């Protein structure tokens, strides 16, 4: 998509990948973000949303560089996006300035998820991808998201699964906790008048091997050439894999009462 190509051309590359040249930018525009975990999460979340009425109001909670907000705006959704990192929200706003049509559909806010400046019962759908594991008071975040979600609305939450592997590495990624099990997520959302409706697991034992091997590649040419072969195998692991997962995505419904 046009906006995603712009993301890969933007300061995002300098911020996250390091200094890059035109060839690298062109490769990223065609390949997309070469990150197995992100691409799997995006595949699941966007598949859930692509057939929804685009008149629904969506919040991207913890938007980072705005990838989900930008993809959803291209589908016609009106999206609010929030992140606590002003540097990242500034980069998203700079990109939006170059695309006035899409800019009309995306509003960016630099705020904390523990104290959101929105009225209660505002949003039809909230996505919160791989965010709450970074926040000390995750219960407060979920409470705030529930408050601003309309009755009957849906929260799509992705987090690391509390696997044996995640328990070994979570501090490396500045996570406050090694992830969540389905039961822990169920308990977390029940206190906020919500319940889990569907669960997706990904990156089981074979997917975990693929993830580690691919991330060990250091040559950019190999990273580009091998992404889709690795991603194809990663998808097979999602559909047919066995063993303990390392990622979990849940769709959560807020009670009507």
């Amino acid at each position: 998509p046009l906006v995603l190509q712009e993301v890969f051309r933007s300061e995002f590359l300098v911020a996250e990948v390091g200094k890059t040249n035109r060839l690298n930018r062109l490769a990223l525009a065609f390949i997309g973000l070469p990150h197995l975990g992100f691409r799997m999460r995006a595949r699941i979340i966007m598949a859930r949303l692509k057939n929804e009425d685009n008149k629904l109001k969506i919040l991207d909670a913890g938007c980072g560089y705005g990838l989900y907000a930008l993809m959803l705006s291209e589908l016609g959704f009106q999206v609010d996006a929030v992140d606590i990192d002003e540097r990242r929200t500034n980069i998203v706003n700079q990109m939006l300035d170059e695309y006035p049509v899409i800019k009309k559909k995306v509003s960016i806010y630099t705020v904390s998820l523990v104290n959101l400046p929105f009225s209660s019962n505002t949003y039809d759908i909230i996505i919160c991808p791989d965010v709450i594991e970074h926040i000390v008071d995750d219960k407060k975040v979920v409470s705030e998201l529930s408050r601003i979600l309309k009755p009957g609305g849906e929260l799509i939450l992705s987090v690391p699964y509390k696997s044996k592997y995640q328990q070994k590495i979570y501090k490396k990624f500045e996570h406050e906790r090694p992830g969540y099990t389905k039961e822990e997520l169920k308990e977390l959302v029940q206190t906020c008048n919500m319940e889990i409706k569907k669960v997706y697991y990904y990156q089981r034992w074979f997917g975990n091997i693929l993830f580690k091997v691919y991330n060990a590649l250091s040559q950019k040419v190999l990273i580009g050439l091998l992404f889709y072969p690795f991603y194809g195998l990663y998808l097979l692991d999602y559909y047919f894999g066995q063993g303990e997962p390392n990622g979990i995505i849940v769709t959560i419904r807020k009670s009507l009462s």
Side-chain angles (χ1 to χ4, degrees):
L2 178 63
V3 172
L4 288 185
Q5 290 184 21
E6 180 62 15
V7 170
F8 302 136
R9 189 188 66 78
S10 73
E11 293 180 50
F12 167 76
L13 288 172
V14 177
E16 294 296 297
V17 182
K19 291 184 178 180
T20 187
N21 57 40
R22 185 176 298 176
L23 181 60
N24 292 335
R25 291 174 177 173
L26 182 62
L28 284 167
F30 280 102
I31 296 168
L33 185 63
H35 188 291
L36 295 173
F38 171 82
R39 292 288 283 270
M40 180 59 70
R41 291 189 292 274
R43 182 185 183 91
I44 295 169
I45 292 171
M46 295 304 294
R48 169 64 193 85
L49 296 177
K50 67 180 181 180
N51 293 321
E52 289 284 353
D53 183 350
N54 62 17
K55 292 182 175 61
L56 298 178
K57 191 166 185 180
I58 296 181
L59 175 69
D60 183 355
C63 67
Y65 292 99
L67 299 182
Y68 289 102
L70 296 171
M71 286 189 286
L72 289 166
S73 70
E74 288 199 312
L75 294 177
F77 289 99
Q78 187 70 39
V79 184
D80 289 343
V82 302
D83 200 277
I84 198 171
D85 188 334
E86 187 175 13
R87 179 178 61 97
R88 292 182 175 186
T89 55
N90 284 341
I91 289 172
V92 180
N93 276 318
Q94 289 167 14
M95 290 186 288
L96 288 172
D97 285 340
E98 298 186 31
Y99 295 94
V101 174
I102 292 176
K103 185 175 182 178
K104 294 177 183 178
K105 294 184 175 295
V106 181
S107 299
I108 307 295
Y109 302 86
T110 307
V111 296
S112 169
L113 293 185
V114 300
N115 187 23
L116 292 166
F118 307 117
S119 300
S120 298
N121 306 326
T122 296
Y123 295 98
D124 298 288
I125 298 172
I126 299 174
I127 63 171
C128 188
D130 278 37
V131 176
I132 67 170
E133 68 272 12
H134 293 275
I135 300 174
V136 174
D137 196 349
D138 56 347
K139 294 182 177 63
K140 175 62 175 173
V141 173
V142 173
S143 176
E144 274 289 271
L145 296 179
S146 177
R147 178 184 66 80
I148 63 175
L149 187 64
K150 291 179 181 179
E154 183 174 310
L155 168 63
I156 302 175
L157 186 69
S158 75
V159 291
Y161 184 81
K162 192 163 73 174
S163 63
K164 293 178 182 178
Y165 177 69
Q166 292 288 354
Q167 291 181 60
K168 294 177 182 178
I169 67 166
Y170 76 98
K171 291 183 180 179
K172 174 182 176 182
F173 300 101
E174 300 181 350
H175 294 177
E176 294 294 333
R177 55 198 65 82
Y180 301 80
T181 63
K182 176 186 174 182
E183 290 71 28
E184 288 171 336
L185 289 173
K186 180 179 178 181
E187 182 179 348
L188 183 64
V189 304
Q190 278 183 335
T191 61
C192 301
N193 201 29
M194 299 189 293
E195 63 175 332
I196 293 174
K197 290 297 184 181
K198 192 164 185 178
V199 181
Y200 305 85
Y201 297 104
Y202 66 95
Q203 196 174 309
R204 296 179 184 271
W205 74 268
F206 182 55
N208 208 40
I209 292 171
L210 292 168
F211 186 84
K212 288 189 283 187
V213 171
Y214 185 76
N215 284 356
L217 298 176
S218 58
Q219 295 185 19
K220 293 180 180 179
V221 172
L222 290 178
I223 291 171
L225 291 176
L226 294 179
F227 175 74
Y228 278 109
F230 269 80
Y231 185 53
L233 293 171
Y234 198 72
L235 284 173
L236 289 176
D237 177 75
Y238 170 65
Y239 288 112
F240 305 110
Q242 301 294 319
E244 190 175 46
N246 284 280
I248 179 172
I249 299 174
V250 290
T251 61
I252 301 162
R253 187 76 63 185
K254 182 177 177 179
S255 173
L256 290 170
S257 58

